[in-house]
Every structure is written in structure tokens, then in C-alpha cells.
Amino acid sequence: MITIRQPVAVKVILTEETKQQWLAELRRLINATIAELEELEFRGKQWLREAKEQGEAAIAATEERIESERSQRIERREQMIAQLSQIQQMDIGEEVPNGNVETTVDVKVGDSWDTVLLGSEIILKDNIVVEIRQNGQSITS
């Protein structure tokens, strides 16, 4: 027998409460990113003033840095807006993948590798474990 590590899928049964929590968190993160963009605009002007004292190369490097940081934040904001839209379209009661955790599994001679690979799932509803599935089958404690 050998013990291996295996990922366990965590899924959430979407409830109205969970959906609203996710939407509120995404809105908070979007607003924080917008605030970061505004702060970057303010600081960027300050950085450019300082760069002007150091010459054209410093100005170009500073402009590149500001644009890179701006692009990263805009991309992050757009991804969160897309997530927001996806969540708004989800149906209550839908099982939604929500990451993985890891467990150990004992594997012995004669085990079906296909069964081992099926792995396990933990199903949550409002942050309460409501079901554990192993090899596609619901198990009880």
C-alpha cells in the first residue's frame, strides 16, 4: 500500500445569500481597483515631475511603468466585471466549483486506478458541508 496526495474539489450550492455575498465582494474589489487607478493617476503625475529632473530616459521609463501598472489594474477590473456578470446569471441551487483542497488516499494493489482518479468532492451550502462524494458516490460519515 502507498499513500498519495490527491486534490478534492470543493463545490458550493448557490443560495441567494451566497450569491449576494459574492456579488458584494466583487463590487468591493472593483471599487478598490478603481480607487487604485485614481491613486495611480495622482502618483503618476508626481513621478513624472520627479522624472523630468532626471532627463528623457527617466521620463520614458516612468511613463512605461505608469502605463504598465494602469493596464494591470484595468485588466483586473475587467476580469472582475466579467465574473460579476457570470455570477448574476447563475441559478440558485446550481453547484459551482469553488477551488480545491488536498487529501491523502491509500492505494493498494488491486485498486482500480480509474476509481482512485475520480477523487472526492466536498459540497457546501452557506459554508456548511452538506455532502461528501467519493468516486462519484455520496458517502456518509
Side-chain angles (χ1 to χ4, degrees), residues 82-106:
Q83 282 182 308
L84 191 76
S85 178
Q86 287 176 339
I87 292 170
Q88 288 171 331
Q89 295 174 19
M90 290 179 182
D91 295 324
I92 302 301
E94 185 176 340
E95 282 188 14
V96 181
N98 195 33
N100 289 305
V101 293
E102 201 171 84
T103 190
T104 57
V105 176
D106 292 329

Side-chain angles (χ1 to χ4, degrees), residues 1-140:
M1 178 175 69
I2 188 171
T3 301
I4 61 171
R5 294 189 319 205
Q6 182 179 52
V8 176
V10 178
K11 294 182 178 179
V12 173
I13 297 173
L14 193 62
T15 63
E16 188 62 39
E17 180 180 332
T18 302
K19 186 174 184 174
Q20 293 308 316
Q21 286 174 350
W22 287 357
L23 291 172
E25 178 63 10
L26 274 170
R27 287 183 186 111
R28 185 190 70 74
L29 291 170
I30 290 168
N31 288 334
T33 303
I34 291 169
E36 287 178 21
L37 280 164
E38 292 170 356
E39 175 71 14
L40 181 60
E41 283 298 316
F42 174 76
R43 288 182 161 231
K45 290 175 186 175
Q46 181 181 352
W47 293 337
L48 283 171
R49 281 193 300 272
E50 293 169 3
K52 283 181 183 177
E53 298 171 5
Q54 299 173 11
E56 291 298 316
I59 292 171
T62 301
E63 287 174 340
E64 186 176 317
R65 175 181 170 202
I66 292 167
E67 186 54 38
S68 172
E69 290 193 28
R70 181 183 297 122
S71 294
Q72 289 173 7
R73 285 166 177 81
I74 289 171
E75 183 178 333
R76 187 172 61 209
R77 182 190 67 195
E78 295 305 314
Q79 288 174 347
M80 288 185 288
I81 289 170
Q83 282 182 308
L84 191 76
S85 178
Q86 287 176 339
I87 292 170
Q88 288 171 331
Q89 295 174 19
M90 290 179 182
D91 295 324
I92 302 301
E94 185 176 340
E95 282 188 14
V96 181
N98 195 33
N100 289 305
V101 293
E102 201 171 84
T103 190
T104 57
V105 176
D106 292 329
V107 179
K108 56 189 176 304
V109 174
D111 285 349
S112 166
W113 187 243
D114 290 336
T115 303
V116 171
L117 288 179
L118 282 175
S120 302
E121 295 177 323
I122 297 172
I123 311 301
L124 305 174
K125 185 174 184 179
D126 293 330
N127 280 332
I128 305 293
V129 176
V130 294
E131 186 178 6
I132 299 173
R133 298 177 189 150
Q134 195 164 30
N135 302 326
Q137 303 292 319
S138 184
I139 61 171
T140 57

